[in-house]
Amino acid sequence: MAELAGVSSRTVSNVVNGYANVTERTRTRVQRAVDELGYRPNVLARNLAQGRSGQIALVVPYLDTPYFAELLQSVIRAARQRGYNVLIDQTDGDAEHERAFIAHGSQRLLFDGIIFSPLGLDQKALADHDRNLPLVVLGERSSDGTFDHVGIDDVAASREATEHLLGLGRRRLAAIGDQPYATGEAAQLRTQGFREAHEARGLTAREDLIISTPRFNRRDGAQAMAALLDRAEPPDAVFCYSDLVALGAIHTLVGRGLRVPEDVAVIGYDDIEDGAYSNPSVSTVSPDKEMIATSAVERLLLRIASPTPPPAVEIRAPHQLIIRQSTGGA
C-alpha cells in the first residue's frame, strides 16, 4: 500500500489512524490506495499493540431478569458509540465466579475494564478488587471510596413508593423482598425506605408484614403473597421490591378472587416493559436506566484512559414514580 501511494509505511499508518500531521494531498493519495486495495484495518491487533483490547465486560447476576436485559441494551449502545464492544457474563450470584472477575490478573480475560453488578460479594470483597483493574459497580452498593458506583437512591425511591400507598389511605402495608443477610444490601435499603415512610407519618411499619424472598422473581412474589393472604389480617397494600415480584403477587391476588387495586394496591420497582403491559398495569419506581448505563460506560472509559486511577465517585441517577392501574392510576 505504501508503495502504491508513493509514501512511507509510517505515513500510511498516520493516515489510517487519523493522525493530524499529514497534508491533505498525502492523505488523499493514501486513501485512494486504501480504497483500491480494499484494505480494512485490524482493529483488535491495533488495540492490542496499544495495550488495550477495545472490549469492556458487563457482569450481571441474571440475564433472564428483564431489568438487566434492558440495562444491557443501554450499555451496549453507549459503548458502541464510543468504539467499544461489550463482553457479557452471567454469574448466577455465585461469589467465587464474581470474585474471579475482580481478582488480580483478571484482565488476562481480554477486557479493558468491567461494569459489575455483584450479588454474591459483600462490600469488603468488592473493596479487595485488583486496583489496576478499571471497575465501575452498579446497583445498591454505596462506594467506600475504592470503586466508582452508579445507582439510584434506593432509600428515597422506596420511601416515595411507600408514601404513595399510604397516601391512598392504606394502612396495612406489606413489603415483599427483604433479604436480611450480608449481600442483601439492595433489599435492606428498600426495607429502610419502607420503614422511614411510616415513621414520617407517625406510623410504625408492621414487621410481621415484611416478607423475605431469596430472589426478586415472579415465583417468590406469588408465594409470599399467598402467605400474606392466609393471615388473619392480610394487607391492603403491598410494596414489591421488583416488578417481577409485583407480577407474581398480582397473579396470586387475582387467583384468589381479589381486585387490584380495590382490595389490595400493589407497587413494584424497576419499570420493566412487562409491567406496563400487564393487566392491571403495574405502578413502579422507574430508575433512569439510560443514564445509569451511559454514566457507567463513560466513567469506565475515563478510568481505562487515565494513566493513574482517578478518585472514586458516587453517581446517583434520577428516578420517578410511574403510577398505573395497580394503585388506581390510569
Side-chain angles (χ1 to χ4, degrees):
M1 186 188 305
E3 183 177 351
L4 179 62
V7 298
S8 68
S9 58
R10 169 63 67 182
T11 299
V12 171
S13 177
N14 287 342
V15 172
V16 170
N17 288 289
Y19 297 145
N21 57 336
V22 180
T23 67
E24 191 57 38
R25 181 179 178 183
T26 300
R27 189 181 304 279
T28 300
R29 286 164 56 195
V30 171
Q31 188 60 54
R32 188 179 298 118
V34 167
D35 295 340
E36 184 175 335
L37 295 174
Y39 171 75
R40 294 292 181 271
N42 188 325
V43 177
L44 178 59
R46 184 175 66 197
N47 286 336
L48 291 175
Q50 297 171 347
R52 297 178 187 168
S53 67
Q55 301 185 111
I56 60 175
L58 174 63
V59 180
V60 298
Y62 308 109
L63 291 173
D64 63 350
T65 300
Y67 173 80
F68 287 118
E70 293 173 10
L71 185 67
L72 168 62
Q73 294 177 38
S74 296
V75 168
I76 290 174
R77 281 195 299 269
R80 185 176 293 156
Q81 289 169 1
R82 292 156 179 81
Y84 267 78
N85 293 320
V86 180
L87 303 175
I88 303 160
D89 195 272
Q90 172 178 293
T91 68
D92 294 310
D94 180 76
E96 291 308 310
H97 192 129
E98 291 182 351
R99 187 174 285 108
F101 270 94
I102 61 173
H104 179 73
S106 58
Q107 285 172 286
R108 69 183 183 277
L109 298 175
L110 279 184
F111 53 80
D112 299 329
I114 177 173
I115 297 174
F116 190 30
S117 182
L119 182 62
L121 297 182
D122 58 19
Q123 188 82 12
K124 182 179 183 302
L126 288 172
D128 290 338
H129 74 276
D130 181 358
R131 301 305 170 86
N132 293 318
L133 170 68
L135 173 69
V136 175
V137 176
L138 301 180
E140 298 75 14
R141 309 290 180 98
S142 296
S143 174
D144 60 357
T146 59
F147 54 81
D148 291 335
H149 172 250
V150 183
I152 69 170
D153 187 336
D154 275 271
V155 175
S158 301
R159 189 168 58 239
E160 291 166 22
T162 307
E163 287 170 348
H164 170 61
L165 296 176
L166 291 170
L168 298 175
R170 310 300 172 108
R171 289 296 178 266
R172 296 191 310 278
L173 270 62
I176 300 178
D178 189 42
Q179 295 175 342
Y181 42 81
T183 57
E185 291 100 327
Q188 292 163 26
L189 291 172
R190 293 172 196 183
T191 300
Q192 180 182 339
F194 179 76
R195 292 189 177 115
E196 287 184 4
H198 283 80
E199 292 168 3
R201 287 178 173 256
L203 304 171
T204 301
R206 289 273 300 271
E207 295 297 322
D208 61 314
L209 297 183
I210 299 176
I211 308 300
S212 299
T213 62
R215 282 188 59 181
F216 293 166
N217 61 22
R218 298 175 184 85
R219 180 185 298 111
D220 290 335
Q223 292 175 349
M225 192 72 250
L228 286 166
L229 292 178
D230 288 339
R231 302 192 178 193
E233 195 176 26
D236 59 6
V238 185
F239 170 39
C240 297
Y241 291 12
S242 81
D243 285 350
L244 291 182
V245 170
L247 289 170
I250 291 171
H251 176 79
T252 294
L253 287 165
V254 173
R256 295 282 189 99
L258 295 169
R259 299 167 300 163
V260 180
E262 291 85 354
D263 298 317
V264 183
V266 179
I267 191 168
Y269 206 104
D270 290 338
D271 191 21
I272 63 172
E273 187 176 17
D274 286 358
Y277 292 95
S278 66
N279 188 18
S281 57
V282 180
S283 296
T284 187
V285 172
S286 177
D288 189 337
K289 292 188 278 284
E290 199 68 33
M291 180 178 172
I292 291 172
T294 301
S295 297
V297 170
E298 288 179 346
R299 189 66 193 175
L300 185 65
L301 297 189
L302 173 63
R303 284 195 163 273
I304 291 170
S306 299
T308 57
V313 298
E314 181 84 23
I315 299 175
R316 288 281 175 88
H319 66 271
Q320 62 177 320
L321 288 187
I322 305 293
I323 305 307
R324 300 194 180 110
Q325 294 168 345
S326 67
T327 61

